[in-house]
Amino acid sequence: MSKITKEQVEHVADLARLSFTEAEIEEFTNQMSKVIDYAEVLNELDTENVEPTTHVMDVRNVLREDNVKPSLQREEALKNAPKQKDGQFEVPSVLD
Amino acid sequence: MSFYDETLSSLHTKIKNKEVTITELTEQSFKRIKETDDKIHAFLTLDEERALAKARELDEQNADNLFFGIPAGIKDNIVTKGLRTTCGSQLLDNFEPVHDATVMNRLNEKNVVTVGKLNMDEFAMGSSNENSSYVAARNPWNTDHVPGGSSGGSAAAVAAGQVPFTLGSDTGGSIRQPASFCGVVGLKPTYGRVSRFGLVAFASSLDQIGPITRTVEDNAYVLQQIAGHDPLDSTSANMEVADYTSALNQDIAGLRIAVPKEYLGEGVDEGVKARIQEALAKLEELGATWEEVSLPNSKYAVAAYYLLASSEASANLARFDGVRYGVRKEGEDLLDLYKKSRSEGFGDEVKRRIMLGTFALSSGYYDAFYKKAQKVRTLIREDFEHVLNSFDVILGPTVPTTAFKVGENSNDPLTMYLKDILTIPVNLAGNPAISVPCGFSDGLPVGLQLIAKPFEERTLYKVAHAYERATDHTKVKPEL
């Protein structure tokens, strides 16, 4: 069985900006352990000299001319914001 | 009139000859949706008023192309300007995009009439549509069964005759698997062939948009229209688009088919196996030859996929924070606001994958899980490259089973993941693949999967069309 602990799950939840009830943490610990256990099957393969694939197409440094073009108007950009103020996204104060 | 009896080209001829108006066509689509959608729940949002207004406007104009006035449904993770786009999530319940996806621009410039947005597993994470946070779509062939996922609504809508074609997206099989379950034609293009700009990202190195249609010919027409380089998607392929429709009506004599033993082995239903063997015999009759091959690393694909796709998802879904769009839940401070908005907005499967992905990318585990999975991805790609050096297509089932019952797998994520074992390797490798109907097992459709070299969609259409012409599978329709 896997090495995933409840504390690890709580730490990962915090990194992922998610919060869970005690019961949910229990359940996630259980389910994640199963999936991670399953993932260990990959260790059957010797990948010592294998290059990782990050992307299937060999594209890199796709550049374009730095031309000024029309962009979203502020009003449109803010259209879906749950809260806005003075033409900006509004969030709770982050400084005391 | 019924869309079951039509193709894009027959509809176009009728529009041109004034046998049918675009308004009538659009009304027919909404009528059929209203007759059937309380049973199959393919649509999340209808855009009836605007669609009919556009149809009336188009009736005053000259039908100058094949897509002119054709009604279509769009998966709800493809952004549509001014038309609610939820991704099947409560978190985006109120989201109204301010721009169109590139594929929408491509369809709109030909005057396609968008009738609405299609149901899906939340953020495209799922294989049954049961992860839609609204209502689970159902299979038109038997509404006790799932339509597949995540593009379940897109496949069900075509199978139910609601619209002539839809767009879906495929990250680990999300076009091909529901196409197989619903008895329709679904293509996942080569990675990079269709722009992802405006597709709400799940796993950026795997996601592709593709067409779902009733016939192979229609599928080729839709891909022709949406494929191509897009400066707004730096991962889109900057190479010329092939002429897909010229691949239709071709002879397949001499075609070399590879049948991986892993694709007809353990876990594949007898009924599915039988249909695939019949399809193989049919293709042989048409002049193809086949040999058994091996894709030895197939069995590692599901594990590698769930690590990679979840890792990419955990990063992509970080943008849903209750600040710029979506539903916001107030908190004591900014961090609390993020956590509350995300925890209440996302469903269980989405949270499960964000957690798995965050774990796989976290310090101390990155090399053991994420990087290891990337290396295994290389081995899986090499398997495909190796086989396709000597063969034109790889053939097998799209899914090991037919559509399962609603609720049958929903409590066991791992079992559900393993159902994607035949579609996932193709996304990891980036190749194109198509699912075409090849008959029934216990009253439910079976899908034949064909896989080709990167950018060889033409080969897929050539073989699939030859097979379709030689059989009657796409002519059968569900009783609804």
Side-chain angles (χ1 to χ4, degrees), chain A residues 8 14 16-17 19 31 42 44-45 47 50-51 53-54 80 82 90, chain B residues 96 191 300 323 325 328 335 339 342-343 352 365 372 374-375 378:
Chain A
Q8 273 177 304
D14 191 53
R17 302 290 185 252
S19 52
Q31 284 177 341
L42 299 183
E44 288 174 13
L45 287 169
T47 53
V50 178
E51 284 297 313
T53 295
T54 48
N80 280 286
E90 190 183 351
Chain B
E96 229 176 62
Y191 182 84
Y300 302 105
V323 173
Y325 30 63
R328 166 154 162 172
L335 187 62
K339 286 189 175 178
R342 290 165 63 77
S343 300
R352 203 154 29 232
Y365 297 94
K372 179 81 187 181
Q374 285 189 319
K375 289 181 165 193
T378 304

PDB file of all heavy atoms in Angstrom, chain A residues 8 14 16-17 19 31 42 44-45 47 50-51 53-54 80 82 90, chain B residues 96 191 300 323 325 328 335 339 342-343 352 365 372 374-375 378:
ATOM      1  N   GLN A   8       0.318  14.798   3.982  1.00  0.00           N
ATOM      2  CA  GLN A   8       0.725  15.135   2.606  1.00  0.00           C
ATOM      3  C   GLN A   8      -0.457  15.659   1.804  1.00  0.00           C
ATOM      4  O   GLN A   8      -0.333  16.629   1.061  1.00  0.00           O
ATOM      5  CB  GLN A   8       1.279  13.894   1.909  1.00  0.00           C
ATOM      6  CG  GLN A   8       2.742  13.664   2.147  1.00  0.00           C
ATOM      7  CD  GLN A   8       3.188  12.383   1.478  1.00  0.00           C
ATOM      8  OE1 GLN A   8       2.622  11.322   1.735  1.00  0.00           O
ATOM      9  NE2 GLN A   8       4.173  12.478   0.618  1.00  0.00           N
ATOM     10  N   ASP A  14      -3.357  22.574   0.137  1.00  0.00           N
ATOM     11  CA  ASP A  14      -3.005  23.965   0.370  1.00  0.00           C
ATOM     12  C   ASP A  14      -2.303  24.546  -0.861  1.00  0.00           C
ATOM     13  O   ASP A  14      -2.613  25.660  -1.293  1.00  0.00           O
ATOM     14  CB  ASP A  14      -2.113  24.051   1.618  1.00  0.00           C
ATOM     15  CG  ASP A  14      -1.930  25.486   2.055  1.00  0.00           C
ATOM     16  OD1 ASP A  14      -2.959  26.175   2.242  1.00  0.00           O
ATOM     17  OD2 ASP A  14      -0.772  25.928   2.180  1.00  0.00           O
ATOM     18  N   ALA A  16      -2.697  23.610  -3.862  1.00  0.00           N
ATOM     19  CA  ALA A  16      -3.676  23.676  -4.957  1.00  0.00           C
ATOM     20  C   ALA A  16      -4.779  24.682  -4.655  1.00  0.00           C
ATOM     21  O   ALA A  16      -5.708  24.831  -5.454  1.00  0.00           O
ATOM     22  CB  ALA A  16      -4.268  22.291  -5.207  1.00  0.00           C
ATOM     23  N   ARG A  17      -4.675  25.372  -3.535  1.00  0.00           N
ATOM     24  CA  ARG A  17      -5.705  26.335  -3.133  1.00  0.00           C
ATOM     25  C   ARG A  17      -7.090  25.695  -3.092  1.00  0.00           C
ATOM     26  O   ARG A  17      -8.050  26.192  -3.678  1.00  0.00           O
ATOM     27  CB  ARG A  17      -5.724  27.551  -4.073  1.00  0.00           C
ATOM     28  CG  ARG A  17      -4.404  28.292  -4.147  1.00  0.00           C
ATOM     29  CD  ARG A  17      -4.108  29.018  -2.847  1.00  0.00           C
ATOM     30  NE  ARG A  17      -2.910  29.840  -2.901  1.00  0.00           N
ATOM     31  CZ  ARG A  17      -1.753  29.551  -2.268  1.00  0.00           C
ATOM     32  NH1 ARG A  17      -1.632  28.440  -1.565  1.00  0.00           N
ATOM     33  NH2 ARG A  17      -0.736  30.375  -2.335  1.00  0.00           N
ATOM     34  N   SER A  19      -9.749  23.575  -0.213  1.00  0.00           N
ATOM     35  CA  SER A  19      -9.932  23.162   1.182  1.00  0.00           C
ATOM     36  C   SER A  19     -10.943  22.022   1.249  1.00  0.00           C
ATOM     37  O   SER A  19     -11.863  21.946   0.435  1.00  0.00           O
ATOM     38  CB  SER A  19     -10.381  24.346   2.037  1.00  0.00           C
ATOM     39  OG  SER A  19     -11.497  24.970   1.463  1.00  0.00           O
ATOM     40  N   GLN A  31      -8.085   7.528  -2.167  1.00  0.00           N
ATOM     41  CA  GLN A  31      -8.157   7.461  -3.633  1.00  0.00           C
ATOM     42  C   GLN A  31      -6.821   7.798  -4.281  1.00  0.00           C
ATOM     43  O   GLN A  31      -6.404   7.155  -5.241  1.00  0.00           O
ATOM     44  CB  GLN A  31      -9.229   8.416  -4.157  1.00  0.00           C
ATOM     45  CG  GLN A  31     -10.637   7.876  -3.953  1.00  0.00           C
ATOM     46  CD  GLN A  31     -11.696   8.865  -4.410  1.00  0.00           C
ATOM     47  OE1 GLN A  31     -11.412  10.055  -4.546  1.00  0.00           O
ATOM     48  NE2 GLN A  31     -12.902   8.377  -4.641  1.00  0.00           N
ATOM     49  N   LEU A  42       4.941   2.212 -13.654  1.00  0.00           N
ATOM     50  CA  LEU A  42       5.909   2.833 -14.566  1.00  0.00           C
ATOM     51  C   LEU A  42       7.348   2.475 -14.193  1.00  0.00           C
ATOM     52  O   LEU A  42       8.234   2.490 -15.042  1.00  0.00           O
ATOM     53  CB  LEU A  42       5.745   4.355 -14.573  1.00  0.00           C
ATOM     54  CG  LEU A  42       4.385   4.909 -15.026  1.00  0.00           C
ATOM     55  CD1 LEU A  42       4.434   6.436 -15.048  1.00  0.00           C
ATOM     56  CD2 LEU A  42       4.016   4.384 -16.415  1.00  0.00           C
ATOM     57  N   GLU A  44       8.505  -0.287 -13.617  1.00  0.00           N
ATOM     58  CA  GLU A  44       8.936  -1.530 -14.273  1.00  0.00           C
ATOM     59  C   GLU A  44       9.826  -1.216 -15.473  1.00  0.00           C
ATOM     60  O   GLU A  44      10.582  -2.061 -15.935  1.00  0.00           O
ATOM     61  CB  GLU A  44       7.716  -2.302 -14.806  1.00  0.00           C
ATOM     62  CG  GLU A  44       6.865  -2.940 -13.743  1.00  0.00           C
ATOM     63  CD  GLU A  44       5.599  -3.557 -14.345  1.00  0.00           C
ATOM     64  OE1 GLU A  44       5.530  -3.693 -15.584  1.00  0.00           O
ATOM     65  OE2 GLU A  44       4.701  -3.884 -13.564  1.00  0.00           O
ATOM     66  N   LEU A  45       9.665  -0.008 -16.021  1.00  0.00           N
ATOM     67  CA  LEU A  45      10.385   0.348 -17.241  1.00  0.00           C
ATOM     68  C   LEU A  45      11.701   1.021 -16.902  1.00  0.00           C
ATOM     69  O   LEU A  45      11.763   1.909 -16.056  1.00  0.00           O
ATOM     70  CB  LEU A  45       9.554   1.321 -18.080  1.00  0.00           C
ATOM     71  CG  LEU A  45       8.342   0.747 -18.794  1.00  0.00           C
ATOM     72  CD1 LEU A  45       7.494   1.883 -19.352  1.00  0.00           C
ATOM     73  CD2 LEU A  45       8.791  -0.175 -19.924  1.00  0.00           C
ATOM     74  N   THR A  47      14.071   3.658 -17.801  1.00  0.00           N
ATOM     75  CA  THR A  47      14.044   4.877 -18.623  1.00  0.00           C
ATOM     76  C   THR A  47      15.321   5.696 -18.438  1.00  0.00           C
ATOM     77  O   THR A  47      15.359   6.883 -18.725  1.00  0.00           O
ATOM     78  CB  THR A  47      12.814   5.750 -18.265  1.00  0.00           C
ATOM     79  OG1 THR A  47      12.814   5.965 -16.852  1.00  0.00           O
ATOM     80  CG2 THR A  47      11.521   5.093 -18.678  1.00  0.00           C
ATOM     81  N   VAL A  50      16.340   7.476 -21.593  1.00  0.00           N
ATOM     82  CA  VAL A  50      15.239   7.961 -22.424  1.00  0.00           C
ATOM     83  C   VAL A  50      15.047   9.453 -22.184  1.00  0.00           C
ATOM     84  O   VAL A  50      15.020   9.914 -21.042  1.00  0.00           O
ATOM     85  CB  VAL A  50      13.931   7.199 -22.095  1.00  0.00           C
ATOM     86  CG1 VAL A  50      12.769   7.725 -22.923  1.00  0.00           C
ATOM     87  CG2 VAL A  50      14.116   5.698 -22.304  1.00  0.00           C
ATOM     88  N   GLU A  51      14.932  10.212 -23.266  1.00  0.00           N
ATOM     89  CA  GLU A  51      14.651  11.647 -23.137  1.00  0.00           C
ATOM     90  C   GLU A  51      13.163  11.845 -22.839  1.00  0.00           C
ATOM     91  O   GLU A  51      12.327  11.179 -23.441  1.00  0.00           O
ATOM     92  CB  GLU A  51      14.976  12.360 -24.454  1.00  0.00           C
ATOM     93  CG  GLU A  51      16.446  12.572 -24.712  1.00  0.00           C
ATOM     94  CD  GLU A  51      17.099  13.460 -23.674  1.00  0.00           C
ATOM     95  OE1 GLU A  51      16.525  14.522 -23.352  1.00  0.00           O
ATOM     96  OE2 GLU A  51      18.184  13.078 -23.169  1.00  0.00           O
ATOM     97  N   THR A  53       9.448  13.452 -23.086  1.00  0.00           N
ATOM     98  CA  THR A  53       8.672  14.191 -24.085  1.00  0.00           C
ATOM     99  C   THR A  53       7.837  15.233 -23.354  1.00  0.00           C
ATOM    100  O   THR A  53       6.984  14.896 -22.550  1.00  0.00           O
ATOM    101  CB  THR A  53       7.720  13.248 -24.842  1.00  0.00           C
ATOM    102  OG1 THR A  53       8.489  12.315 -25.597  1.00  0.00           O
ATOM    103  CG2 THR A  53       6.802  14.018 -25.800  1.00  0.00           C
ATOM    104  N   THR A  54       8.112  16.511 -23.636  1.00  0.00           N
ATOM    105  CA  THR A  54       7.250  17.537 -23.052  1.00  0.00           C
ATOM    106  C   THR A  54       6.190  17.923 -24.067  1.00  0.00           C
ATOM    107  O   THR A  54       5.106  18.351 -23.722  1.00  0.00           O
ATOM    108  CB  THR A  54       8.041  18.809 -22.687  1.00  0.00           C
ATOM    109  OG1 THR A  54       8.861  19.158 -23.799  1.00  0.00           O
ATOM    110  CG2 THR A  54       8.904  18.568 -21.479  1.00  0.00           C
ATOM    111  N   ASN A  80     -16.757  39.844 -17.028  1.00  0.00           N
ATOM    112  CA  ASN A  80     -17.068  38.630 -16.263  1.00  0.00           C
ATOM    113  C   ASN A  80     -16.561  38.681 -14.820  1.00  0.00           C
ATOM    114  O   ASN A  80     -16.671  37.692 -14.095  1.00  0.00           O
ATOM    115  CB  ASN A  80     -16.492  37.402 -16.967  1.00  0.00           C
ATOM    116  CG  ASN A  80     -17.366  36.949 -18.126  1.00  0.00           C
ATOM    117  OD1 ASN A  80     -18.432  36.370 -17.917  1.00  0.00           O
ATOM    118  ND2 ASN A  80     -16.938  37.241 -19.347  1.00  0.00           N
ATOM    119  N   PRO A  82     -16.436  38.979 -11.036  1.00  0.00           N
ATOM    120  CA  PRO A  82     -17.465  38.950  -9.993  1.00  0.00           C
ATOM    121  C   PRO A  82     -17.557  40.301  -9.256  1.00  0.00           C
ATOM    122  O   PRO A  82     -18.633  40.713  -8.867  1.00  0.00           O
ATOM    123  CB  PRO A  82     -16.997  37.844  -9.050  1.00  0.00           C
ATOM    124  CG  PRO A  82     -16.059  37.002  -9.845  1.00  0.00           C
ATOM    125  CD  PRO A  82     -15.432  37.913 -10.845  1.00  0.00           C
ATOM    126  N   GLU A  90     -11.578  43.651  -8.267  1.00  0.00           N
ATOM    127  CA  GLU A  90     -11.524  43.939  -6.839  1.00  0.00           C
ATOM    128  C   GLU A  90     -11.310  42.655  -6.039  1.00  0.00           C
ATOM    129  O   GLU A  90     -11.992  41.653  -6.261  1.00  0.00           O
ATOM    130  CB  GLU A  90     -12.816  44.627  -6.372  1.00  0.00           C
ATOM    131  CG  GLU A  90     -12.677  45.154  -4.962  1.00  0.00           C
ATOM    132  CD  GLU A  90     -13.968  45.778  -4.421  1.00  0.00           C
ATOM    133  OE1 GLU A  90     -14.926  45.956  -5.195  1.00  0.00           O
ATOM    134  OE2 GLU A  90     -13.983  46.064  -3.219  1.00  0.00           O
TER     135      GLU A  90
ATOM    136  N   GLU B  96     -19.635  34.398 -19.720  1.00  0.00           N
ATOM    137  CA  GLU B  96     -19.993  34.765 -21.089  1.00  0.00           C
ATOM    138  C   GLU B  96     -18.750  35.285 -21.799  1.00  0.00           C
ATOM    139  O   GLU B  96     -18.328  36.422 -21.569  1.00  0.00           O
ATOM    140  CB  GLU B  96     -21.068  35.854 -21.059  1.00  0.00           C
ATOM    141  CG  GLU B  96     -22.225  35.540 -21.966  1.00  0.00           C
ATOM    142  CD  GLU B  96     -23.312  36.596 -21.848  1.00  0.00           C
ATOM    143  OE1 GLU B  96     -23.043  37.772 -22.159  1.00  0.00           O
ATOM    144  OE2 GLU B  96     -24.429  36.223 -21.439  1.00  0.00           O
ATOM    145  N   TYR B 191      -2.031  16.260 -33.168  1.00  0.00           N
ATOM    146  CA  TYR B 191      -1.805  17.384 -32.272  1.00  0.00           C
ATOM    147  C   TYR B 191      -1.220  18.552 -33.080  1.00  0.00           C
ATOM    148  O   TYR B 191      -0.242  18.368 -33.816  1.00  0.00           O
ATOM    149  CB  TYR B 191      -0.854  16.996 -31.127  1.00  0.00           C
ATOM    150  CG  TYR B 191      -0.662  18.151 -30.187  1.00  0.00           C
ATOM    151  CD1 TYR B 191      -1.581  18.386 -29.166  1.00  0.00           C
ATOM    152  CD2 TYR B 191       0.370  19.064 -30.365  1.00  0.00           C
ATOM    153  CE1 TYR B 191      -1.451  19.485 -28.342  1.00  0.00           C
ATOM    154  CE2 TYR B 191       0.502  20.161 -29.547  1.00  0.00           C
ATOM    155  CZ  TYR B 191      -0.419  20.368 -28.535  1.00  0.00           C
ATOM    156  OH  TYR B 191      -0.317  21.474 -27.725  1.00  0.00           O
ATOM    157  N   TYR B 300       1.388   0.875 -20.154  1.00  0.00           N
ATOM    158  CA  TYR B 300       1.844   1.940 -19.257  1.00  0.00           C
ATOM    159  C   TYR B 300       1.193   3.284 -19.561  1.00  0.00           C
ATOM    160  O   TYR B 300       1.407   4.263 -18.859  1.00  0.00           O
ATOM    161  CB  TYR B 300       3.364   2.084 -19.356  1.00  0.00           C
ATOM    162  CG  TYR B 300       4.082   0.797 -19.028  1.00  0.00           C
ATOM    163  CD1 TYR B 300       4.659   0.017 -20.015  1.00  0.00           C
ATOM    164  CD2 TYR B 300       4.142   0.362 -17.701  1.00  0.00           C
ATOM    165  CE1 TYR B 300       5.298  -1.175 -19.701  1.00  0.00           C
ATOM    166  CE2 TYR B 300       4.774  -0.834 -17.374  1.00  0.00           C
ATOM    167  CZ  TYR B 300       5.345  -1.596 -18.385  1.00  0.00           C
ATOM    168  OH  TYR B 300       5.958  -2.773 -18.067  1.00  0.00           O
ATOM    169  N   VAL B 323     -11.709  35.622  -9.236  1.00  0.00           N
ATOM    170  CA  VAL B 323     -11.363  37.045  -9.319  1.00  0.00           C
ATOM    171  C   VAL B 323     -11.716  37.641 -10.690  1.00  0.00           C
ATOM    172  O   VAL B 323     -12.374  38.666 -10.776  1.00  0.00           O
ATOM    173  CB  VAL B 323      -9.861  37.274  -9.017  1.00  0.00           C
ATOM    174  CG1 VAL B 323      -9.469  38.729  -9.270  1.00  0.00           C
ATOM    175  CG2 VAL B 323      -9.563  36.894  -7.569  1.00  0.00           C
ATOM    176  N   TYR B 325     -13.158  35.901 -13.516  1.00  0.00           N
ATOM    177  CA  TYR B 325     -14.400  35.401 -14.105  1.00  0.00           C
ATOM    178  C   TYR B 325     -14.897  34.250 -13.246  1.00  0.00           C
ATOM    179  O   TYR B 325     -14.179  33.760 -12.374  1.00  0.00           O
ATOM    180  CB  TYR B 325     -14.216  34.928 -15.546  1.00  0.00           C
ATOM    181  CG  TYR B 325     -12.846  34.387 -15.868  1.00  0.00           C
ATOM    182  CD1 TYR B 325     -12.364  33.254 -15.225  1.00  0.00           C
ATOM    183  CD2 TYR B 325     -12.019  35.026 -16.788  1.00  0.00           C
ATOM    184  CE1 TYR B 325     -11.105  32.761 -15.506  1.00  0.00           C
ATOM    185  CE2 TYR B 325     -10.753  34.539 -17.067  1.00  0.00           C
ATOM    186  CZ  TYR B 325     -10.302  33.408 -16.419  1.00  0.00           C
ATOM    187  OH  TYR B 325      -9.052  32.928 -16.692  1.00  0.00           O
ATOM    188  N   ARG B 328     -17.790  33.519  -7.600  1.00  0.00           N
ATOM    189  CA  ARG B 328     -16.899  33.863  -6.487  1.00  0.00           C
ATOM    190  C   ARG B 328     -17.569  33.599  -5.164  1.00  0.00           C
ATOM    191  O   ARG B 328     -18.745  33.889  -4.987  1.00  0.00           O
ATOM    192  CB  ARG B 328     -16.575  35.337  -6.603  1.00  0.00           C
ATOM    193  CG  ARG B 328     -15.941  36.015  -5.388  1.00  0.00           C
ATOM    194  CD  ARG B 328     -15.169  37.161  -5.920  1.00  0.00           C
ATOM    195  NE  ARG B 328     -14.802  38.187  -4.983  1.00  0.00           N
ATOM    196  CZ  ARG B 328     -13.970  39.169  -5.341  1.00  0.00           C
ATOM    197  NH1 ARG B 328     -13.518  39.237  -6.574  1.00  0.00           N
ATOM    198  NH2 ARG B 328     -13.634  40.088  -4.476  1.00  0.00           N
ATOM    199  N   LEU B 335      -6.583  34.593   0.149  1.00  0.00           N
ATOM    200  CA  LEU B 335      -6.328  33.157   0.096  1.00  0.00           C
ATOM    201  C   LEU B 335      -7.611  32.366   0.371  1.00  0.00           C
ATOM    202  O   LEU B 335      -7.912  31.372  -0.303  1.00  0.00           O
ATOM    203  CB  LEU B 335      -5.245  32.799   1.125  1.00  0.00           C
ATOM    204  CG  LEU B 335      -4.732  31.365   1.079  1.00  0.00           C
ATOM    205  CD1 LEU B 335      -4.084  31.051  -0.249  1.00  0.00           C
ATOM    206  CD2 LEU B 335      -3.728  31.135   2.223  1.00  0.00           C
ATOM    207  N   LYS B 339      -9.637  29.725  -2.035  1.00  0.00           N
ATOM    208  CA  LYS B 339      -9.948  28.355  -1.607  1.00  0.00           C
ATOM    209  C   LYS B 339     -11.441  28.089  -1.629  1.00  0.00           C
ATOM    210  O   LYS B 339     -11.881  27.028  -2.068  1.00  0.00           O
ATOM    211  CB  LYS B 339      -9.376  28.090  -0.204  1.00  0.00           C
ATOM    212  CG  LYS B 339      -7.876  27.905  -0.189  1.00  0.00           C
ATOM    213  CD  LYS B 339      -7.400  27.437   1.183  1.00  0.00           C
ATOM    214  CE  LYS B 339      -5.899  27.134   1.152  1.00  0.00           C
ATOM    215  NZ  LYS B 339      -5.396  26.730   2.463  1.00  0.00           N
ATOM    216  N   ARG B 342     -12.814  27.988  -5.317  1.00  0.00           N
ATOM    217  CA  ARG B 342     -12.396  26.775  -6.014  1.00  0.00           C
ATOM    218  C   ARG B 342     -13.032  25.522  -5.415  1.00  0.00           C
ATOM    219  O   ARG B 342     -13.497  24.643  -6.147  1.00  0.00           O
ATOM    220  CB  ARG B 342     -10.863  26.661  -5.981  1.00  0.00           C
ATOM    221  CG  ARG B 342     -10.183  27.712  -6.844  1.00  0.00           C
ATOM    222  CD  ARG B 342      -8.703  27.833  -6.542  1.00  0.00           C
ATOM    223  NE  ARG B 342      -7.927  26.619  -6.824  1.00  0.00           N
ATOM    224  CZ  ARG B 342      -7.553  26.231  -8.036  1.00  0.00           C
ATOM    225  NH1 ARG B 342      -7.894  26.956  -9.081  1.00  0.00           N
ATOM    226  NH2 ARG B 342      -6.826  25.139  -8.201  1.00  0.00           N
ATOM    227  N   SER B 343     -13.062  25.465  -4.091  1.00  0.00           N
ATOM    228  CA  SER B 343     -13.588  24.251  -3.445  1.00  0.00           C
ATOM    229  C   SER B 343     -15.081  24.095  -3.678  1.00  0.00           C
ATOM    230  O   SER B 343     -15.573  22.983  -3.825  1.00  0.00           O
ATOM    231  CB  SER B 343     -13.288  24.279  -1.947  1.00  0.00           C
ATOM    232  OG  SER B 343     -11.897  24.337  -1.757  1.00  0.00           O
ATOM    233  N   ARG B 352     -10.040  15.959  -7.669  1.00  0.00           N
ATOM    234  CA  ARG B 352      -9.178  14.775  -7.583  1.00  0.00           C
ATOM    235  C   ARG B 352      -7.978  14.938  -8.521  1.00  0.00           C
ATOM    236  O   ARG B 352      -6.843  14.673  -8.158  1.00  0.00           O
ATOM    237  CB  ARG B 352     -10.011  13.558  -7.998  1.00  0.00           C
ATOM    238  CG  ARG B 352      -9.509  12.275  -7.481  1.00  0.00           C
ATOM    239  CD  ARG B 352     -10.551  11.170  -7.313  1.00  0.00           C
ATOM    240  NE  ARG B 352     -11.685  11.173  -8.194  1.00  0.00           N
ATOM    241  CZ  ARG B 352     -12.949  11.115  -7.770  1.00  0.00           C
ATOM    242  NH1 ARG B 352     -13.241  11.073  -6.492  1.00  0.00           N
ATOM    243  NH2 ARG B 352     -13.944  11.116  -8.631  1.00  0.00           N
ATOM    244  N   TYR B 365       8.684  14.936  -5.583  1.00  0.00           N
ATOM    245  CA  TYR B 365       7.985  13.890  -6.343  1.00  0.00           C
ATOM    246  C   TYR B 365       8.065  14.097  -7.854  1.00  0.00           C
ATOM    247  O   TYR B 365       7.714  13.232  -8.633  1.00  0.00           O
ATOM    248  CB  TYR B 365       6.512  13.810  -5.916  1.00  0.00           C
ATOM    249  CG  TYR B 365       6.388  13.409  -4.476  1.00  0.00           C
ATOM    250  CD1 TYR B 365       6.271  14.368  -3.478  1.00  0.00           C
ATOM    251  CD2 TYR B 365       6.442  12.067  -4.120  1.00  0.00           C
ATOM    252  CE1 TYR B 365       6.211  14.000  -2.150  1.00  0.00           C
ATOM    253  CE2 TYR B 365       6.380  11.683  -2.796  1.00  0.00           C
ATOM    254  CZ  TYR B 365       6.266  12.657  -1.818  1.00  0.00           C
ATOM    255  OH  TYR B 365       6.212  12.282  -0.513  1.00  0.00           O
ATOM    256  N   LYS B 372       9.194  10.894 -14.888  1.00  0.00           N
ATOM    257  CA  LYS B 372       9.138   9.476 -15.275  1.00  0.00           C
ATOM    258  C   LYS B 372       8.036   9.278 -16.334  1.00  0.00           C
ATOM    259  O   LYS B 372       8.250   8.610 -17.342  1.00  0.00           O
ATOM    260  CB  LYS B 372       8.834   8.622 -14.035  1.00  0.00           C
ATOM    261  CG  LYS B 372       8.724   7.145 -14.308  1.00  0.00           C
ATOM    262  CD  LYS B 372      10.093   6.493 -14.382  1.00  0.00           C
ATOM    263  CE  LYS B 372       9.993   5.044 -14.823  1.00  0.00           C
ATOM    264  NZ  LYS B 372      11.299   4.389 -14.874  1.00  0.00           N
ATOM    265  N   GLN B 374       6.878  11.459 -18.383  1.00  0.00           N
ATOM    266  CA  GLN B 374       7.309  12.067 -19.657  1.00  0.00           C
ATOM    267  C   GLN B 374       8.248  11.150 -20.431  1.00  0.00           C
ATOM    268  O   GLN B 374       8.236  11.107 -21.655  1.00  0.00           O
ATOM    269  CB  GLN B 374       8.009  13.394 -19.394  1.00  0.00           C
ATOM    270  CG  GLN B 374       7.055  14.521 -19.024  1.00  0.00           C
ATOM    271  CD  GLN B 374       7.784  15.840 -18.985  1.00  0.00           C
ATOM    272  OE1 GLN B 374       8.908  15.929 -18.504  1.00  0.00           O
ATOM    273  NE2 GLN B 374       7.155  16.889 -19.481  1.00  0.00           N
ATOM    274  N   LYS B 375       9.069  10.437 -19.703  1.00  0.00           N
ATOM    275  CA  LYS B 375       9.981   9.490 -20.360  1.00  0.00           C
ATOM    276  C   LYS B 375       9.209   8.306 -20.938  1.00  0.00           C
ATOM    277  O   LYS B 375       9.500   7.840 -22.040  1.00  0.00           O
ATOM    278  CB  LYS B 375      11.036   9.007 -19.358  1.00  0.00           C
ATOM    279  CG  LYS B 375      12.045  10.076 -19.008  1.00  0.00           C
ATOM    280  CD  LYS B 375      13.072   9.545 -18.034  1.00  0.00           C
ATOM    281  CE  LYS B 375      14.281  10.494 -17.975  1.00  0.00           C
ATOM    282  NZ  LYS B 375      15.402   9.858 -17.276  1.00  0.00           N
ATOM    283  N   THR B 378       7.732   9.128 -24.187  1.00  0.00           N
ATOM    284  CA  THR B 378       8.669   8.957 -25.305  1.00  0.00           C
ATOM    285  C   THR B 378       8.636   7.516 -25.820  1.00  0.00           C
ATOM    286  O   THR B 378       8.592   7.281 -27.035  1.00  0.00           O
ATOM    287  CB  THR B 378      10.104   9.320 -24.856  1.00  0.00           C
ATOM    288  OG1 THR B 378      10.091  10.651 -24.347  1.00  0.00           O
ATOM    289  CG2 THR B 378      11.100   9.204 -25.998  1.00  0.00           C
TER     290      THR B 378
END
